[in-house]
C-alpha cells in the first residue's frame, strides 16, 4: 500500500513538473512571437526654400515746412538701402532713422520705400503692418504707387498686403507726414513707430 502511495506521489510530481515545463516552453514561445520595436518620430513640413523674396528698404526725409496733403512724385530715394534682406534669409531686423517733426524744423514728411524682388517661380505675398500713430496732427499714407496713396485714419494700425508675382518686382511706400504746417505743431510725447513685413504664400 505504501508502495502504491509512493508511486502515486511520484506520478503527481511528474505531472506537475511536466506542466511547469510546458508552461515555460509556452511562455518563451509566446514572448518570441510577440517581439516588437517602436520608433517615435516627428513630421515637419518646412516652407524653407519656397518663399524667396529679396527686400530692400530705403528712406527719405523731405525738406519742407508746409502741411502735407499729397506727396509729389518722384521721390529721390538714396541708392543705398538702410535695411536689406536677401532672398535666402528668413529673418532679419533693422533700424530706420527716428521720425522727428519740429515747429522750427524743415522736414514735413518721412518716406520709406520697400522694394520686393521675388526670385522664385511661385507667387508670394508680403503682409505689411505698422503701429498706429495716435496724433491727429500726423498722417500715415501708404500704397504701391506714389500717385495713388491711401491715408490711414488716426490711431489706426496698418495692415496691407502686396502680391508678388513669380520672378517679379514691386515697390510699396509708407509715408509719415505732418498734416499741419510745422510752425503750428503742438508738442507730443514720443511714440514708438515700427513696421514689419511677413512674406509667405498665403493670401489674406
Amino acid at each position: 500500500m505504501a508502495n502504491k502511495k509512493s508511486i502515486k506521489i511520484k506520478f503527481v510530481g511528474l505531472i506537475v513538473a511536466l506542466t511547469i515545463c510546458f508552461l515555460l516552453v509556452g511562455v518563451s514561445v509566446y514572448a518570441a512571437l510577440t517581439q516588437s520595436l517602436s520608433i517615435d518620430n516627428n513630421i515637419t513640413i518646412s516652407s524653407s526654400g519656397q518663399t524667396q523674396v529679396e527686400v530692400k528698404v530705403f528712406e527719405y526725409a523731405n525738406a519742407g515746412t508746409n502741411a502735407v496733403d499729397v506727396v509729389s512724385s518722384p521721390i529721390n530715394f538714396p541708392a543705398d538701402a538702410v535695411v536689406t534682406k536677401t532672398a535666402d534669409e528668413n529673418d532679419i531686423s533693422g533700424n530706420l532713422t527716428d521720425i522727428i517733426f519740429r515747429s522750427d524744423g524743415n522736414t514735413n514728411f518721412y518716406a520709406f520705400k520697400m522694394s520686393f524682388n521675388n526670385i522664385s517661380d511661385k507667387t508670394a505675398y508680403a503682409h505689411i503692418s505698422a503701429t498706429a500713430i495716435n496724433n491727429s496732427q500726423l498722417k500715415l499714407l501708404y500704397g504701391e504707387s506714389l500717385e495713388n496713396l491711401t491715408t490711414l485714419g488716426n490711431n489706426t494700425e496698418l495692415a496691407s498686403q502686396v502680391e508678388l508675382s513669380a520672378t517679379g518686382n514691386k515697390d510699396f511706400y509708407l509715408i509719415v507726414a505732418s498734416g499741419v504746417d510745422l510752425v503750428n505743431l503742438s508738442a507730443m510725447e514720443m511714440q514708438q513707430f515700427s513696421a514689419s513685413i511677413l512674406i509667405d504664400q498665403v493670401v489674406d
Side-chain angles (χ1 to χ4, degrees):
M1 191 74 178
N3 192 20
K4 283 185 178 180
K5 188 174 183 182
S6 176
I7 292 173
K8 191 174 184 182
I9 291 172
K10 287 181 181 179
F11 183 74
V12 171
L14 178 63
I15 296 295
V16 171
L18 288 175
T19 302
I20 291 173
C21 287
F22 288 138
L23 285 174
L24 289 175
V25 171
V27 169
S28 68
V29 170
Y30 174 79
L33 291 177
T34 59
Q35 288 182 345
S36 64
L37 171 64
S38 296
I39 299 175
D40 293 325
N41 205 355
N42 296 319
I43 297 176
T44 301
I45 300 176
S46 173
S47 62
S48 177
Q50 294 181 4
T51 303
Q52 293 181 300
V53 178
E54 178 189 68
V55 185
K56 291 185 176 182
V57 181
F58 304 85
E59 62 180 14
Y60 170 86
N62 187 69
T65 59
N66 59 300
V68 177
D69 294 319
V70 294
V71 175
S72 58
S73 59
I75 293 177
N76 295 318
F77 287 95
D80 295 330
V82 291
V83 180
T84 298
K85 184 195 82 64
T86 67
D88 294 324
E89 290 177 309
N90 291 329
D91 299 288
I92 192 169
S93 60
N95 296 317
L96 300 176
T97 300
D98 286 339
I99 299 172
I100 302 173
F101 294 102
R102 299 168 53 103
S103 59
D104 60 349
N106 64 350
T107 302
N108 60 353
F109 74 78
Y110 293 79
F112 306 96
K113 180 174 77 169
M114 305 168 187
S115 293
F116 300 96
N117 178 24
N118 185 5
I119 70 169
S120 75
D121 58 357
K122 300 177 180 66
T123 299
Y125 298 89
H127 310 276
I128 304 166
S129 59
T131 53
I133 299 175
N134 187 15
N135 189 286
S136 59
Q137 299 176 106
L138 306 180
K139 59 175 65 175
L140 185 66
L141 302 95
Y142 67 96
E144 297 178 19
S145 167
L146 288 172
E147 294 79 14
N148 190 24
L149 295 173
T150 300
T151 302
L152 196 68
N154 181 52
N155 201 24
T156 305
E157 293 183 356
L158 171 68
S160 187
Q161 176 180 277
V162 177
E163 181 176 336
L164 308 171
S165 59
T167 64
N169 300 289
K170 190 167 282 188
D171 293 330
F172 184 86
Y173 299 92
L174 187 61
I175 295 173
V176 182
S178 176
V180 300
D181 293 342
L182 296 185
V183 68
N184 295 324
L185 284 173
S186 298
M188 59 175 276
E189 292 184 4
M190 184 177 64
Q191 296 185 31
Q192 184 178 10
F193 179 76
S194 61
S196 62
I197 305 167
L198 173 65
I199 301 170
D200 56 24
Q201 294 171 322
V202 180
V203 184
D204 276 344

